[in-house]
Amino acid sequence: MNEKRRTLLKAMGGTTALAGLAGCISTGGDGSDGSDGGDGSDGSDGESGGTATLWTDLSDGEDEAMSSYIDQYESQSPNTIEKNEPGGELDQQLETAIPSGEGPDSWIWAHDWIGRFAVREEPPFLYDASDDVDASLDVFTETAQEAVQFDGALHGLPFASETVALFYNEDMVDEPPETLEDMISVMDEYHNPENGEYGLSYPVTDPYFASGFIQAYGGDIFDTESLENDLDSDACKRGMDALERLFGYVPADPGYESQIVAFADGAAPFAINGPWEIANLQSEVENLGVTTLPTVDGNNPRTYSGIQTFYFSAMLSDADQSAVDAATGLAEWYTTNEEVIETNAEEQGYIPVLSSVVEDGNLSEDVQAFAQQVDHGVPIPTHPNMNAVWTPLTEALTRVFNGDQESGPALDQAASEIRENQ
């Protein structure tokens, strides 16, 4: 996952009763299971199939893998998938393309947009595929099942979870730190900005990355029950104090690229980042370790986590059934295919949400560390009111980082601005 894709969610919908077998391919609404029949054929039985468009915004490695999987799907199905990268910010592209009738049939992003787009009515942005998907949602983890639903409608299928955890350079760190104090002790050994050396690589002004420490003492950036933000609570302010202790150990530019480069170049012993960086960092850091974030006064940082999802676009509402079958068929095949999920975990660092793979226990240590941090974390809320949180909190973190405001008043101001904008 690249740096543009850091937002995630927690679904608000209830469960949806779906029947069928995991791993099947929808090939045209005829109940076929997509089998190749064992005779070397592609299983299409001469059907013409449908065509669906898929928009993506993936890293180079992810994109290459996705193209390969699409080729594999097409070889087993009569359907055709046209994968495109629209460029720019994906949500902005969708905001323009869907109202004009030029949007994709499906796109890939974290689940946090589901609530935001599900409430859009003029025009609608999402399609309810409850009657089109054959696989049971029970094959996914409970959090993943909830993530792709809103008000009982099924708006996508999940394939991975993600959150941030602690990377460390094993040549610089003897043992992964268990507590924040342990981590600070190691950072003190290496932090020397005048020589281009730092204690930590961490985009500290990004709310997604900062969420774990802010919520470490039990406060919620956004409470899904009250639909209120909790930033001005004592709990969040204590968490902010812990986060602020890390501010002095990172490079002066808190931007994503500036931060990750410091760790990749061996100029910092630690980095706080996501599984999308595993492959990149393994090629740069000879002895790379991954562990959960250190505890703060005995509390596990409650990082935001997201569920990567194949979204079903409102464009399918007026499309031929063959296009619906193509879009949902790819999503169903990809998300329930154990080989795909296991390979993605190994090569891309994706954290599986397909229960059979999760329970198998054959994940790498790196992926297991991220999975454990997901267990400590909080799914990003999908309620539309969450949209009002990101900008005020980003601005508050930036003011504190730059020394323009104390952390308590900054969170008070952010909380007030969020309430005004909801």
Side-chain angles (χ1 to χ4, degrees):
M1 316 291 168
N2 66 24
E3 63 270 19
K4 296 179 182 177
R5 303 175 57 210
R6 300 288 69 84
T7 52
L8 310 168
L9 84 176
K10 175 176 167 59
M12 304 293 291
T15 58
T16 300
L18 300 173
L21 297 174
C24 64
I25 302 176
S26 175
T27 59
D30 61 355
S32 167
D33 65 0
S35 169
D36 63 9
D39 59 1
S41 69
D42 64 5
S44 65
D45 296 328
E47 297 178 50
S48 60
T51 298
T53 56
L54 173 69
W55 280 9
T56 62
D57 180 16
L58 305 171
S59 67
D60 291 343
E62 292 174 309
D63 187 72
E64 182 178 350
M66 180 60 66
S67 295
S68 176
Y69 288 133
I70 288 174
D71 289 344
Q72 187 176 344
Y73 169 73
E74 290 178 333
S75 74
Q76 301 175 32
S77 162
N79 299 319
T80 300
I81 305 298
E82 297 179 352
K83 182 175 73 68
N84 299 307
E85 299 178 46
E89 298 294 336
L90 184 57
D91 59 340
Q92 296 176 10
Q93 297 295 326
L94 293 169
E95 291 278 4
T96 300
I98 290 179
S100 67
E102 299 177 353
D105 298 309
S106 180
W107 69 84
I108 292 174
W109 196 265
H111 76 282
D112 58 309
W113 288 354
I114 285 185
R116 163 186 172 184
F117 284 147
V119 297
R120 300 285 290 271
E121 296 180 352
E122 296 182 2
F125 270 62
L126 297 178
Y127 175 77
D128 181 4
S130 299
D131 295 330
D132 301 288
V133 171
D134 294 326
S136 171
L137 286 188
D138 291 341
V139 301
F140 304 111
T141 62
E142 183 176 351
T143 299
Q145 294 178 40
E146 295 175 356
V148 294
Q149 299 173 85
F150 192 89
D151 285 345
L154 179 66
H155 293 307
L157 287 178
F159 63 89
S161 60
E162 64 181 20
T163 193
V164 299
L166 184 67
F167 289 92
Y168 61 99
N169 188 325
E170 294 179 348
D171 292 332
M172 304 170 75
V173 181
D174 293 333
E175 296 288 339
E178 295 184 2
T179 69
L180 184 61
E181 300 303 328
D182 293 338
M183 182 176 167
I184 289 175
S185 177
V186 175
M187 291 192 298
D188 282 335
E189 294 181 29
Y190 291 97
H191 190 65
N192 189 351
E194 292 182 359
N195 290 337
E197 300 171 351
Y198 305 92
L200 175 64
S201 155
Y202 186 17
V204 291
T205 59
D206 185 315
Y208 172 68
F209 285 87
S211 61
F213 291 103
I214 294 176
Q215 299 181 125
Y217 289 92
D220 291 305
I221 291 175
F222 183 85
D223 189 316
T224 55
E225 294 185 3
S226 68
L227 304 183
E228 266 278 1
N229 83 85
D230 201 22
L231 287 172
D232 50 0
S233 68
D234 289 341
C236 282
K237 289 181 179 180
R238 290 184 69 191
M240 184 66 196
D241 288 341
L243 174 67
E244 195 173 1
R245 295 183 68 187
L246 301 177
F247 280 10
Y249 292 97
V250 305
D253 179 356
Y256 187 94
E257 291 297 338
S258 297
Q259 293 297 319
I260 197 62
V261 166
F263 181 73
D265 287 349
F270 297 115
I272 295 177
N273 218 294
W276 52 86
E277 287 289 359
I278 288 179
N280 172 50
L281 292 176
Q282 284 176 335
S283 68
E284 300 291 337
V285 179
E286 184 174 356
N287 295 305
L288 180 70
V290 184
T291 187
T292 54
L293 293 183
T295 59
V296 182
D297 289 337
N299 302 306
N300 288 302
R302 299 167 59 236
T303 52
Y304 270 148
S305 62
I307 306 296
Q308 290 299 313
T309 300
F310 276 87
Y311 279 74
F312 300 135
S313 167
M315 303 302 297
L316 294 174
S317 299
D318 297 322
D320 293 338
Q321 186 61 41
S322 62
V324 175
D325 292 336
T328 59
L330 171 65
E332 189 171 353
W333 174 83
Y334 183 98
T335 61
T336 63
N337 188 311
E338 290 185 355
E339 182 177 355
V340 169
I341 301 305
E342 290 171 351
T343 301
N344 278 339
E346 179 180 352
E347 297 182 357
Q348 306 297 334
Y350 286 6
I351 305 167
V353 296
L354 185 63
S355 295
S356 59
V357 175
V358 173
E359 295 164 2
D360 188 49
N362 290 330
L363 302 176
S364 70
E365 292 183 2
D366 292 348
V367 174
Q368 287 179 10
F370 277 104
Q372 187 176 357
Q373 185 61 50
V374 167
D375 289 340
H376 294 326
V378 181
I380 291 179
T382 57
H383 193 278
N385 283 2
M386 183 66 192
N387 295 327
V389 171
W390 301 112
T391 298
L393 181 52
T394 299
E395 293 174 347
L397 291 169
T398 301
R399 290 193 300 272
V400 176
F401 181 78
N402 291 333
D404 296 330
Q405 192 174 25
E406 296 294 323
S407 61
L411 289 187
D412 288 339
Q413 180 177 335
S416 177
E417 291 173 351
I418 291 166
R419 293 181 184 120
E420 290 176 358
N421 294 331
Q422 288 179 340

